[in-house]
Amino acid sequence: MKGLLFTNLYLVHRSIFVYTLIGIGLTAFYLKLTGGAYAVFSAITLCIVITMPVWEILKVEAQSGYNKYLLTLPVSRKNIIQSYYLVYFLVVVIGVILFVGILYIYGLFSEVSIELSLFQTIAYTILSMLTLGGIIFPLIFILGEEKSDFILLLSLLFMGLVVNSLRLGVDYVIDQLPLLKFNLNPLKQVPFIFLLIGILIFLISFFISFFIYSKKEF
């Protein structure tokens, strides 16, 4: 399992470095342009950019035939799927950490005060990225790695629809519940709900991808 993880990272480590620099530049520019007004969008943009090499892993393996070679190794198909999902999750975490660092540095050199709940921003970003990954992986295993660019564009649109629907749904439920009577602050509870939903979507996606991959013939 560790070998698969390190191999996947090694295949695209240069791309991850390049896309990380691009993502940092875009995020810094967007924060400067908007005065930090849309920090959530900046965080999601950064994570989307630096996760691009993950889809490159699948494409490179398919083009080189390495995905077929993997099946001859003493690893299960479940471990192969786990390695893809773990790489994606690790890169998302790196993106979130980078965003927090960029936001901190921006706050040091900017006279503009960024009014936001950082934890809620992080939770919403993770929800968005886990939803995006949860959509893309099964589609790639169904439609093929060579269509990953089209799948990414389609998934971005679908992710926006799903995440915004979830946000509106959670806000509606929160409004209907008498949380204040139980000394519960919605601003503190909502991020945890976002995180739980994102993790649930990601786990369901993993099992769907494993089912598809286990039935796939190369």
Side-chain angles (χ1 to χ4, degrees):
M1 181 63 189
K2 290 183 180 179
L4 287 174
L5 192 60
F6 288 132
T7 299
N8 287 338
L9 288 172
Y10 179 77
L11 283 173
V12 292
H13 69 281
R14 289 191 179 89
S15 295
I16 290 177
F17 178 74
V18 172
Y19 277 99
T20 298
L21 292 179
I22 294 173
I24 291 174
L26 287 174
T27 303
F29 173 76
Y30 194 75
L31 284 174
K32 181 66 176 177
L33 185 66
T34 63
Y38 301 98
V40 174
F41 182 79
S42 300
I44 294 174
T45 300
L46 173 61
C47 289
I48 289 174
V49 171
I50 70 171
T51 54
M52 294 292 287
V54 176
W55 318 124
E56 187 179 329
I57 291 173
L58 297 171
K59 189 183 295 186
V60 168
E61 288 185 352
Q63 292 174 346
S64 65
Y66 183 75
N67 57 347
K68 298 178 182 178
Y69 172 72
L70 278 176
L71 300 177
T72 66
L73 300 176
V75 292
S76 65
R77 295 196 178 202
K78 183 178 181 180
N79 285 338
I80 294 173
I81 298 298
Q82 283 178 336
S83 68
Y84 295 141
Y85 274 75
L86 276 175
V87 168
Y88 180 81
F89 183 77
L90 287 174
V91 176
V92 169
V93 171
I94 291 172
V96 171
I97 294 173
L98 283 173
F99 173 74
V100 174
I102 293 170
L103 200 61
Y104 176 76
I105 294 173
Y106 176 80
L108 291 177
F109 294 95
S110 174
E111 297 179 357
V112 180
S113 176
I114 302 176
E115 299 293 335
L116 58 87
S117 170
L118 184 58
F119 183 44
Q120 189 165 355
T121 300
I122 292 173
Y124 193 76
T125 301
I126 293 175
L127 167 64
S128 300
M129 293 309 300
L130 293 185
T131 300
L132 180 63
I135 295 170
I136 292 178
F137 277 115
L139 288 178
I140 285 180
F141 293 130
I142 291 174
L143 302 178
E145 294 83 354
E146 67 279 356
K147 298 179 181 178
S148 59
D149 293 337
F150 170 74
I151 292 172
L152 175 60
L153 293 175
L154 184 66
S155 298
L156 283 170
L157 296 175
F158 194 59
M159 178 269 286
L161 177 64
V162 171
V163 170
N164 281 314
S165 298
L166 287 172
R167 180 179 59 81
L168 292 174
V170 169
D171 289 345
Y172 175 79
V173 172
I174 293 297
D175 288 339
Q176 303 305 310
L177 296 177
L179 295 180
L180 296 179
K181 293 182 180 180
F182 299 97
N183 294 321
L184 296 176
N185 187 349
L187 291 178
K188 294 182 179 179
Q189 309 307 318
V190 169
F192 285 106
I193 296 174
F194 283 161
L195 287 174
L196 289 175
I197 293 175
I199 292 171
L200 180 61
I201 291 173
F202 205 58
L203 288 175
I204 292 173
S205 170
F206 168 76
F207 288 111
I208 293 174
S209 294
F210 172 62
F211 176 77
I212 297 170
Y213 195 78
S214 63
K215 303 294 182 182
K216 192 172 182 179
E217 296 182 1
F218 292 89

